[in-house]
Amino acid sequence: MFRFIITPINILISFLEGIGRYIELMLSMFRSISTWHKYAGVAVEHMYQMGILSIPIVIMTSLFSGMVTSVQAAYQFETGFIPTWYVGGVVGEAIFLELAPMLTALVMTGRIGATITAEIGTMRVTEQIDALESLSFDPISYLIMPRIIAAIIMFPMLVIIAD
């Protein structure tokens, strides 16, 4: 009878619980910054997987977005009062400032985010994270910090390649 009142409250409570779990994860991640040097080798491996293996995708994405932007800009300049020799400068600025960083972030978020989610999800299902805890490893320091460090280092480099 009072389902229309209880359902939004349950949705709000689960939303707030999710935010609380996220904040708890971020706090424990920032607490584990002091031990990042223990797993630097793992971070290098993640840099290779996140960065080097993503270069072809970044190049293809930026190449095709640049081509589409230049064709569209040339078409728009053709019908107006702006000379067509401005196309290169406009497209260069648009790609450099807006499109390359945004498209690289979107593609990498999808590719790298899905990979990390699948890896950690599989580790949770097969109880590998519980095994790390039982061996006195901090799973946050071992699983999350190397990936964060690798992303902080490699994503700007991928944007430079896309530019």
Side-chain angles (χ1 to χ4, degrees):
M1 178 157 175
F2 293 106
R3 186 174 293 171
F4 66 92
I5 295 173
I6 294 174
T7 303
I9 291 173
N10 287 337
I11 291 171
L12 178 66
I13 289 172
S14 65
F15 175 73
L16 293 175
E17 285 175 349
I19 290 175
R21 284 193 302 270
Y22 176 76
I23 290 172
E24 183 182 10
L25 175 69
M26 290 298 112
L27 289 175
S28 60
M29 186 193 67
F30 287 124
R31 267 194 306 263
S32 67
I33 286 177
S34 61
T35 61
W36 71 270
H37 60 279
K38 291 181 184 178
Y39 308 111
V42 179
V44 171
E45 179 183 331
H46 289 298
M47 282 183 213
Y48 174 76
Q49 291 194 354
M50 284 183 190
I52 304 301
L53 297 180
S54 299
I55 289 175
I57 296 170
V58 168
I59 289 173
M60 293 299 288
T61 304
S62 61
L63 178 72
F64 285 117
S65 65
M67 289 189 303
V68 168
T69 305
S70 63
V71 167
Q72 192 66 23
Y75 173 73
Q76 293 295 325
F77 286 0
E78 219 173 62
T79 60
F81 299 107
I82 302 173
T84 55
W85 62 77
Y86 286 128
V87 171
V90 169
V91 170
E93 289 291 321
I95 295 293
F96 184 73
L97 295 176
E98 297 289 334
L99 285 175
M102 183 195 62
L103 290 175
T104 302
L106 285 173
V107 169
M108 292 300 97
T109 301
R111 181 184 180 276
I112 303 300
T115 303
I116 290 173
T117 302
E119 285 176 1
I120 293 179
T122 302
M123 291 177 99
R124 173 58 74 190
V125 169
T126 58
E127 298 178 354
Q128 293 176 25
I129 296 175
D130 297 331
L132 284 172
E133 290 174 350
S134 67
L135 291 171
S136 298
F137 279 90
D138 182 17
I140 305 291
S141 295
Y142 183 73
L143 296 174
I144 295 176
M145 275 310 290
R147 288 173 170 88
I148 297 292
I149 291 169
I152 288 172
I153 293 171
M154 292 311 291
F155 277 17
M157 292 183 187
L158 291 173
V159 170
I160 290 170
I161 290 171
D163 283 339

